[in-house]
């Protein structure tokens, strides 16, 4: 007997739903991205995000069920939704949809922590993964260094004190006039640039396990204002190298502390080609394995919600239907 979970994700700017069996096997995964909607504003506009979720949620859920070969929601065993952290209005759309399905079918509802879901995305690609793991979650909203000691046991070792890593990429790209989201453009430009051209600061590299990217962003802005003729490819490569240097250094220190033989990346910035290369190199140099999930599992998706719900359900059972959304929810740390 397998347990099929419908997972719904609407915490930010992707409307997503997926069906996953036993927390590991993806039967379907549908993601409707709102990137184009928000691009002209240079970032996510919360009210527009909520409205777009309302418009797309039914279709996305139906497609996920159909792709999984399920005629309707009665063919799954659990309905799950991300209940935080995220934008309140956006979260409400997914949670309300999940609860409505649970009420009308009598299926259990499980509310899922978005950050825990980024950790569990790893099991979708690597079902035999065993903790302890050192995990770096780097997205537009989060920069989190976690020692996953066991299922449900997390030690948050570090987080950003200001901008998230992806936010720094986006803000630098916006300043350079490169559009939104900035990470992929900087990644592409950097591939043709010289990463040693500008010696940008490595904020907090040797101080503990927290991160700070706001000063680095300001350093880039000041440098470009003072050197308007500097090749943008060199600026992009040098900025990216500074971010990646700090991220990789701290991930390895976290793995040392956690005695973790595996390094794992999650979140949209995990798509960064230089970060992936450097994490792979660091793993090889320290006798570890690097687990670099494919991009569709790194960025927000419903499959990671469904997977996490399965593990949560095994431990804690269903979530009460009167539980609301939790926009500032943190990863429970031991
Ligand atoms: O996880 P995600 O899709 O959404 C959340 O923020 O939750 O991450 C989006 C972030 C954006 O800041 C984007 O610029 C960044 O991931 N990103 C990248 C790359 N691709 C996406 N940053 C650096 N290099 C990339 N190749
Ligand atoms: Zn996310």
């Amino acid at each position: 007997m397998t347990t099929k979970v419908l997972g719904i994700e609407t915490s930010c700017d992707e409307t997503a739903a997926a069906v996953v069996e036993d927390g590991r096997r993806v039967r379907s995964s549908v993601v409707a991205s709102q990137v184009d909607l928000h691009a002209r504003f240079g970032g996510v506009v919360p009210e527009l995000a909520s409205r777009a979720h309302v418009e797309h949620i039914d279709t996305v859920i139906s497609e996920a069920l159909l792709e999984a070969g399920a005629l309707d929601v009665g063919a799954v065993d659990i309905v799950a939704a991300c209940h935080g952290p995220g934008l309140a209005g956006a979260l409400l759309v997914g949670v309300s949809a999940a609860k409505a399905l649970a009420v009308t079918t009598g299926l259990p509802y499980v509310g899922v922590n978005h950050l825990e879901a980024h950790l569990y995305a790893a099991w979708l690609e690597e079902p035999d993964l065993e903790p302890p793991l050192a995990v770096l979650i780097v997205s537009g909203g989060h920069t989190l260094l976690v020692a996953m000691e066991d299922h449900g046991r997390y030690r948050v070792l570090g987080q950003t004190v200001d901008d998230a890593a992806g936010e720094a990429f986006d803000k630098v790209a916006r300043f350079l006039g490169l559009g939104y989201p900035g990470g992929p453009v900087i990644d592409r430009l950097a591939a043709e640039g010289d990463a040693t051209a500008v010696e940008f600061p490595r904020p907090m590299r040797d101080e503990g396990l927290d991160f700070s990217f706001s000063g680095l962003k300001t350093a880039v802005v000041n440098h470009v204002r003072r050197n308007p003729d500097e090749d943008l490819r060199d600026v992009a490569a040098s900025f990216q190298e500074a971010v990646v240097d700090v991220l990789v250094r701290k991930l390895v220190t976290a793995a040392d502390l956690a005695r973790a033989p595996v390094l794992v990346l999650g979140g949209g910035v995990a798509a960064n080609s230089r970060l992936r290369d450097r994490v792979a190199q660091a793993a090889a140099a320290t006798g570890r394995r690097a687990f670099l999930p494919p991009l569709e599992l790194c960025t927000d998706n419903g499959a990671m919600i469904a997977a996490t719900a399965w593990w949560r359900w095994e431990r804690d059972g269903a979530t009460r239907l009167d539980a609301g959304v939790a926009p500032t929810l943190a990863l429970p740390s031991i």
Side-chain angles (χ1 to χ4, degrees):
M1 256 299 274
T2 61
T3 304
K4 290 195 193 72
V5 184
L6 170 67
I8 299 170
E9 157 62 40
T10 61
S11 67
C12 190
D13 61 345
E14 337 274 359
T15 316
V19 175
V20 175
E21 257 176 33
D22 293 341
R24 291 177 170 90
R25 286 180 300 281
V26 182
R27 291 294 174 231
S28 66
S29 183
V30 178
V31 180
S33 171
Q34 303 175 6
V35 163
D36 296 343
L37 179 66
H38 301 288
R40 66 199 150 113
F41 301 103
V44 177
V45 183
E47 189 49 36
L48 290 183
S50 310
R51 273 188 249 163
H53 286 311
V54 171
E55 271 170 42
H56 295 118
I57 188 83
D58 285 346
T59 321
V60 167
I61 291 174
S62 302
E63 275 182 29
L65 289 170
L66 203 67
E67 245 184 52
L71 283 183
D72 61 36
V73 70
V76 303
D77 305 291
I78 295 169
V79 183
C82 168
H83 61 183
L87 303 168
L91 289 165
L92 271 170
V93 179
V95 165
S96 306
K99 286 183 184 176
L101 291 172
V103 168
T104 50
T105 54
L107 290 172
Y109 159 70
V110 176
V112 170
N113 182 318
H114 185 87
L115 300 170
E116 190 176 24
H118 272 302
L119 296 179
Y120 272 103
W123 269 264
L124 295 169
E125 183 71 10
E126 190 87 353
D128 300 325
L129 211 56
E130 288 289 343
L133 313 174
V135 191
L136 176 66
I137 298 171
V138 268
S139 71
H142 314 283
T143 308
L144 210 59
L145 199 48
V146 182
M148 180 170 181
E149 297 187 351
D150 203 345
H151 294 286
R153 279 177 65 85
Y154 316 111
R155 197 177 294 278
V156 175
L157 298 173
Q159 46 199 317
T160 182
V161 299
D162 43 53
D163 292 350
E167 197 179 351
F169 272 95
D170 293 339
K171 286 180 174 171
V172 164
R174 188 175 345 162
F175 171 74
L176 298 176
L178 301 173
Y180 173 86
V185 195
I186 290 188
D187 195 347
R188 266 198 308 278
L189 274 184
E192 297 164 11
D194 173 4
T196 62
V198 192
E199 186 60 32
F200 286 126
R202 269 58 173 162
M204 294 175 72
R205 186 178 57 182
D206 304 306
E207 297 159 43
L209 290 172
D210 280 337
F211 303 91
S212 165
F213 294 110
S214 166
L216 171 58
K217 171 194 66 192
T218 310
V220 175
V221 170
N222 290 340
H223 179 85
V224 173
R225 285 204 175 122
R226 276 196 300 268
N227 304 277
D229 297 329
E230 182 91 51
D231 190 324
L232 282 191
R233 293 171 297 189
D234 292 344
V235 174
S238 302
F239 159 72
Q240 176 177 277
E241 198 65 22
V243 175
V244 169
D245 247 7
V246 178
L247 293 176
V248 174
R249 169 81 61 105
K250 297 199 186 218
L251 177 58
V252 171
T253 308
D256 288 343
L257 281 173
R259 298 177 198 283
V262 186
L263 308 179
V264 179
L265 284 183
V269 182
N272 186 268
S273 48
R274 185 68 182 144
L275 178 61
R276 294 175 83 89
D277 285 352
R278 290 277 309 273
V279 169
Q281 283 167 18
T286 59
R288 295 185 167 96
R289 280 177 62 212
F291 182 62
L292 312 170
L295 183 57
E296 65 271 20
L297 292 180
C298 289
T299 52
D300 293 350
N301 62 84
M304 68 182 193
I305 303 298
T308 312
W310 183 82
W311 291 91
R312 272 278 154 212
W313 164 257
E314 296 267 299
R315 268 197 312 278
D316 305 332
T319 304
R320 290 166 54 112
L321 284 175
D322 59 0
V325 298
T328 58
L329 191 65
L331 186 70
S333 186
I334 47 174

